[in-house]
Amino acid sequence: MIRQFDQSISEIPEMLKLTLGEPDFLTPDHVKEAAKRAIDANQSYYTGMAGLLELRQAASEFISEKYNVEYMADGEILVTIGATEALSAPLIAILEPGDTVLLPAPAYPGYESIVNMVGQILSKLIRPLMILF
């Protein structure tokens, strides 16, 4: 269903789509080259739970330069494989039985599963933008 929705809005000019989590640009050449170097260096093993320290340091520097906010790479930054993991880990940790979770709709169906997995009450915000105005 999310792919059908994505297809239906794909032709809208200047639309910023947040439907599938896929970038709307080609992989930059420096990223491709870094991936090739990593393969050649046999860097094909699991990292520690927080992600590679080098990557967390680069994220720390990026956040500092772009937003003028300081986070320590070792202890305050966690690298995940995607948004679902980044959202599910803290939600599972902090939600308690009976808590209500507000979910804007339409949304990626996996987010509802996260809430259901921990047994919380889910309230969908069908028109979340109405709240802002």
Side-chain angles (χ1 to χ4, degrees):
M1 185 170 195
I2 192 75
R3 289 201 180 271
Q4 292 168 336
F5 177 73
D6 180 74
Q7 289 289 89
S8 72
I9 65 168
S10 290
E11 301 303 319
I12 299 173
E14 299 183 35
M15 170 64 71
L16 176 61
K17 295 189 322 177
L18 302 175
T19 52
L20 299 178
E22 296 178 342
D24 61 353
F25 56 87
L26 298 175
T27 304
D29 288 338
H30 73 279
V31 174
K32 292 178 190 177
E33 293 305 318
K36 292 173 191 174
R37 286 193 306 274
I39 291 167
D40 289 341
N42 292 317
Q43 293 178 327
S44 59
Y45 300 96
Y46 288 112
T47 66
M49 295 296 289
L52 291 172
L53 180 57
E54 181 181 16
L55 177 57
R56 291 182 282 137
Q57 288 169 335
S60 176
E61 292 170 14
F62 174 83
I63 293 167
S64 176
E65 291 171 14
K66 184 160 180 128
Y67 301 106
N68 199 27
V69 177
E70 301 295 326
Y71 288 100
M72 294 185 309
D74 194 15
E76 294 183 318
I77 295 179
L78 172 72
V79 177
T80 67
I81 59 171
T84 301
E85 181 185 6
L87 290 169
S88 64
L91 287 176
I92 290 169
I94 65 172
L95 290 175
E96 296 184 11
D99 286 350
T100 299
V101 175
L102 301 177
L103 180 68
Y108 173 64
Y111 300 154
E112 186 172 343
S113 300
I114 296 168
V115 175
N116 292 334
M117 179 174 59
V118 293
Q120 307 313 322
I121 300 166
L122 178 68
S123 292
K124 290 185 180 179
L125 298 173
I126 303 303
R127 293 182 165 213
L129 292 180
M130 298 298 289
I131 295 171
L132 299 176
F133 299 104

